[in-house]
Amino acid sequence: MTTFLYGANVHANGIRQHYLRYGGTDGARAQRDAVIIVPGITSPAITWGFVGERFGRHFDTYVLDVRGRGLSEASDSLDYSLDAQAADVLAFAQALGLKRYSIVGHSMGGRIGVRAARTKPAGLTRLVMVDPPVSGPGRREYPSKLPWYVDSMALARKGCDLEAMRAFCPTWTDEQLRLRAEWLHTCDERAIITSFNAFHTDDVHVDMPAVDVPCMLMVAERGDVIREEDIAEIKTLIADVQVTHVRDAGHMIPWDNEEGFYQAFGDFLGASLT
C-alpha cells in the first residue's frame, strides 16, 4: 500500500516550492518529528519517491524540489546560491507549520542542510548528511565533473529513452533510468552550473561548528566523495556527529543499496526504517 499522499506547491522564501508528501501524521507518525528530504544537484523530488515511500511508513515526510529543479521555481534571474537554498528549506518548514523536523540531505542536499542548521532554526531537531561533497576553497575537487551533468541534461531536453540515459548511469535499474530520462530536463542548467561551481567556492566546514543538533554523516563505502581524513576532520568540527557507512554503495547510496541505506539510519530519526 502506498504512503504517497499528494504533491503540492507552497510560496516560501519568495518563490514557489514544490514538494511531495508521504505518510502524514496518523498513528505513531504523529508522535515523531517530520522529515524533510533534500535531494542532490540533479535529482528532482520524484526521483526520490521510492525513498519517500519507505520514510512515509514511519514519518510525516516531505521530499523537496530544490529551486531550479523539478516543479519548483526557476528563472534566469533566480538566486541559486547555497544561502538561498538553505533559506528555502527553513522557510518551507515555517510555511507548512512544522514544529519539529529533521533534515535528511543527500549530496548537495547535505550541504544545504549544514548551511541551514548553522542558523540554529527553531524546530530543527536532527540533521543527516548523506555523502555530502566536502570540496571547497583550497580542498580537493569534487570527483564528478561538470560535463557529465551538462551533457546528460542536454540529452534529456532533446528527449531520450532509458537506453540513452544508461550511458550516463550504467548501473541503474530500468525504472530509475526511466524516471531520470523523464525528469532531468526540469533541472535548470543555470542552477546546476551554479551549484556545481559552489561545491568549490563554498566551504561548509565553517558552518559545521555551529551545528548544535544531533548529526549523522552517512558515507558511501565505494564512493570517493568522503575519505577517512574527511571523516576525521568533521568529527573535530561537529560535537555530536554519528558516522555510518553503507556497504556496496557508491555516491547514489539508495540507488545502489536501498536496504543498506535504510539500515544505516538505525533509530537516529526516532524510529527504525527497517
Side-chain angles (χ1 to χ4, degrees):
M1 183 176 180
T2 183
T3 65
F4 176 68
L5 294 178
Y6 55 80
N9 298 291
V10 63
H11 188 78
N13 197 32
I15 67 166
R16 182 189 71 253
Q17 296 192 48
H18 177 259
Y19 65 96
L20 304 176
R21 189 180 183 191
Y22 297 82
T25 56
D26 292 339
R29 289 187 294 263
Q31 306 303 316
R32 299 167 184 158
D33 298 347
V35 175
I36 301 174
I37 296 177
V38 186
I41 187 169
T42 54
S43 294
I46 189 64
T47 64
W48 276 74
F50 68 106
V51 175
E53 286 280 3
R54 176 66 71 90
F55 270 73
R57 297 180 193 172
H58 308 279
F59 304 98
D60 185 19
T61 303
Y62 302 80
V63 186
L64 289 187
D65 271 329
V66 178
R67 59 171 59 201
R69 285 88 171 166
L71 301 181
S72 285
E73 192 164 329
S75 77
D76 57 6
S77 61
L78 201 60
D79 180 2
Y80 289 122
S81 69
L82 180 59
D83 285 338
Q85 293 168 336
D88 283 347
V89 178
L90 300 182
F92 173 84
Q94 185 175 22
L96 267 64
L98 302 182
K99 302 300 183 183
R100 293 176 56 87
Y101 62 93
S102 301
I103 293 175
V104 175
H106 172 249
S107 192
M108 178 190 75
R111 291 169 67 92
I112 292 171
V114 173
R115 182 58 56 91
R118 77 171 183 178
T119 64
K120 307 182 189 305
L124 179 64
T125 57
R126 301 173 189 83
L127 170 66
V128 181
M129 302 179 294
V130 181
D131 222 44
V134 290
S135 46
R139 298 177 178 274
R140 76 173 186 280
E141 292 186 354
Y142 181 57
S144 295
K145 304 302 179 185
L146 183 59
W148 185 89
Y149 299 102
V150 173
D151 293 349
S152 60
M153 287 189 296
L155 180 68
R157 285 196 301 272
K158 289 170 59 179
C160 69
D161 61 12
L162 65 88
E163 290 302 329
M165 191 58 65
R166 197 183 303 278
F168 292 90
C169 310
T171 65
W172 289 22
T173 67
D174 286 358
E175 182 180 4
Q176 292 163 353
L177 290 167
R178 188 174 290 110
L179 267 179
R180 189 164 180 83
E182 178 185 3
W183 283 89
L184 186 59
H185 77 92
T186 67
C187 293
D188 189 315
E189 185 174 286
R190 294 159 296 201
I192 307 313
I193 293 174
T194 299
S195 291
F196 183 88
N197 290 336
F199 287 170
H200 305 92
T201 57
D202 286 321
D203 191 349
V204 295
H205 295 78
V206 300
D207 302 326
M208 292 181 180
V211 176
D212 64 354
V213 295
C215 181
M216 172 179 284
L217 173 66
M218 188 180 297
V219 181
E221 181 188 60
R222 289 194 285 102
D224 191 40
V225 174
I226 299 176
R227 300 175 181 173
E228 288 303 316
E229 58 267 30
D230 303 315
I231 296 172
E233 181 181 10
I234 291 171
K235 284 182 175 180
T236 70
L237 296 174
I238 301 179
D240 189 8
V241 64
Q242 176 180 331
V243 180
T244 60
H245 293 78
V246 182
R247 296 175 57 83
D248 301 321
H251 181 58
M252 301 298 285
I253 295 177
W255 279 255
D256 293 338
N257 183 355
E258 185 179 356
E259 288 304 316
F261 173 67
Y262 302 134
Q263 291 168 7
F265 284 91
D267 61 357
F268 180 80
L269 295 173
S272 172
L273 290 161
T274 58

